[in-house]
Structures are given as structure tokens and as C-alpha cells.
Amino acid sequence: AIQPKQKQVLHEQIGQYQETRYQKLLANKDPEAQRLAKFLDKKLEPTTQQLLVNDLKSGEITRQENAARLLGSLGQVTLPLLIDIVKKEEDLRARKIAVGLLGELGTEAGDLLKKELVLGSNPAEQLRILEVIDTVTRDLKTELIFAIESENSEIREAAFKLAERLNNPQIVELLLNYARGQHIGLAVDAITCLGRVKPQGSIEPITSLLESTKDTRLLMACCQ
């Protein structure tokens, strides 16, 4: 959640901006835009933040677009709120909108989200981040290793799904390393993931593994 000091900084940074933005939104004939203008005039207090979050996950395109437009126009000061949405909101569309806005804020946003993934202690929040983080950044090898080696099976599953979406040479090599590794469970999952990704150059190492292993699970994964 946004801390008191962060809220104070937020209020100071958007203070000069608000009057112009308020007048523009108020002039908009769309009732949702006018409603957001009234909230903006009162500053982004916690209740206002929650209303914007509600708009993002409402399923109503106009409300979502207006909320996203307002949050996007505020720039870096929205980082804590957007990251909080990604971590805590179950609604996937709301999280996708939030990470889309984070992606427009530069590398700092991606770095902060990666830290939340690795340093966080709440598996549910980590899962939500894993589902959308590649929208913000695709430089995720270290974070992917962390998630793949997690003791939580759901996090491992989400990590391999992320690997499928990334599907670049660096990630393929990482999967091949796990496929050749001593941890049979991870090796099977990595081979299965490679089978879905179907990267060029993977047939030879999988064939080699097929010929060298005696483990039934690995044999089945390689054959599949």
C-alpha cells in the first residue's frame, strides 16, 4: 500500500498539474470523464485510488479507458499504485492495463516489479506478477530462474508459462540446461516446455538426452 510519505510526495507533485487536468476532464461531455475530474480535484486520496482501481476492473470500456488515461497522464507518481494493482488485483484485465501503463514509465518500473517478484513473500502476489510482467520487461532470466526453482508448484508452473511467452534464445538455452540437470522434476518440466515452444536447434540435444537417460519420466518427456 502507498505509505504516508509517498502520498505526501504524490500530492505535492500533482498539485500544480491538477487544475489544468481537472478543467479538461470537466469539459469532456462523457459523464465518466466528469466524474474522474471531480475525484482529481480532490487529489488522489486512498478512496479515489480505490475508485480508479474499480474503474480499471469494471469491465466497462469507457470507465477503463478514462481511468487508464488519467493514471497514464500522472507519470512516475503512479508507480506505487500501479505496482500495487499488479500485485493485489485478481482481475487479469485490470493488471494488464496496469502493466501497460508501467511499461510506458521506463526501465525503473520494470526493475521495481522484478524486485517485488523476487523479494516478495506472498505467493499469490508473485503469481499475479508472473502472469503479466513480460508486458513491462522481457529481461527476466534471473527472475525466471528464481521462479522455476521455487518450492511452490504453482509458481513453477507460472514460470514455465512465462518462459513460453518469452521464447528467446537465452531462455531456450536456460530450459536446455534444466533439461540436462540433476533435478528430474525440473528436467521433465523444461523438456515439456521446450516441446510446446518448439525452438530451432532443440531436436539434437533432446535426442541426445533420450539416448543417454534411463529415467522413465525423462524418456517419456523426450518422446512426447
Side-chain angles (χ1 to χ4, degrees), residues 122-124 126-127 130-131 144 146-162 183 185-186 189-190 196:
N122 187 315
Q126 291 172 316
L127 282 170
L130 282 167
E131 287 179 343
L144 196 59
F146 160 79
I148 285 175
E149 297 182 1
S150 170
E151 295 182 359
N152 186 302
S153 60
E154 291 183 319
I155 289 178
R156 291 198 303 273
E157 182 180 353
F160 282 111
K161 288 181 179 178
L162 174 59
H183 192 301
L186 289 183
D189 288 341
R196 291 193 293 263

Side-chain angles (χ1 to χ4, degrees), residues 1-15 43-46 49 74 76-84 87-88 108 112 116:
I2 298 178
Q3 301 300 312
K5 288 184 178 179
Q6 292 175 309
K7 286 194 288 186
Q8 181 181 353
V9 172
L10 176 62
H11 292 163
E12 290 174 354
Q13 289 181 326
I14 69 174
K43 298 185 179 181
L44 288 180
E45 296 293 343
Q49 295 174 24
L74 294 175
Q76 296 288 331
V77 295
T78 62
L79 267 173
L81 175 59
L82 292 174
I83 287 178
D84 216 42
K87 288 167 53 179
K88 297 184 177 180
E108 180 187 357
L112 286 173
E116 291 288 343

Side-chain angles (χ1 to χ4, degrees), residues 39-222:
F39 289 136
L40 179 60
D41 191 44
K42 297 177 183 178
K43 298 185 179 181
L44 288 180
E45 296 293 343
T47 52
T48 304
Q49 295 174 24
Q50 187 57 54
L51 286 167
L52 288 170
V53 172
N54 289 343
D55 280 351
L56 285 180
K57 61 180 184 180
S58 67
E60 298 178 22
I61 295 177
T62 300
R63 289 176 63 187
Q64 291 174 331
E65 288 180 347
N66 285 331
R69 190 179 303 115
L70 175 56
L71 288 168
S73 67
L74 294 175
Q76 296 288 331
V77 295
T78 62
L79 267 173
L81 175 59
L82 292 174
I83 287 178
D84 216 42
I85 291 171
V86 174
K87 288 167 53 179
K88 297 184 177 180
E89 290 302 323
E90 293 187 9
D91 184 81
L92 181 59
R93 181 170 173 78
R95 280 183 282 135
K96 286 185 175 180
I97 293 173
V99 294
L101 293 170
L102 284 170
E104 297 175 1
L105 297 179
T107 57
E108 180 187 357
D111 291 341
L112 286 173
L113 201 54
K114 287 194 285 187
K115 287 179 182 178
E116 291 288 343
L117 173 61
V118 174
L119 300 179
S121 58
N122 187 315
E125 292 182 357
Q126 291 172 316
L127 282 170
R128 295 185 191 112
I129 294 172
L130 282 167
E131 287 179 343
V132 296
I133 191 172
D134 49 311
T135 301
V136 182
T137 176
R138 298 181 70 82
D139 180 19
L140 292 166
K141 181 179 178 181
T142 300
E143 292 71 29
L144 196 59
I145 292 172
F146 160 79
I148 285 175
E149 297 182 1
S150 170
E151 295 182 359
N152 186 302
S153 60
E154 291 183 319
I155 289 178
R156 291 198 303 273
E157 182 180 353
F160 282 111
K161 288 181 179 178
L162 174 59
E164 288 181 47
R165 297 196 304 272
L166 293 172
N167 190 17
N168 60 50
Q170 186 182 46
I171 299 303
V172 170
E173 184 58 36
L174 177 65
L175 291 173
L176 286 171
N177 287 338
Y178 278 114
R180 304 183 189 104
Q182 298 300 311
H183 192 301
I184 300 301
L186 289 183
V188 170
D189 288 341
I191 293 168
T192 302
C193 185
L194 285 166
R196 291 193 293 263
V197 173
K198 298 178 176 62
Q200 291 185 348
S202 63
I203 294 178
E204 184 176 345
I206 294 300
T207 301
S208 177
L209 184 59
L210 176 63
E211 294 173 346
S212 62
T213 187
K214 294 182 179 179
D215 187 280
T216 303
R217 290 172 293 171
L218 284 180
L219 289 168
M220 290 179 63
C222 289

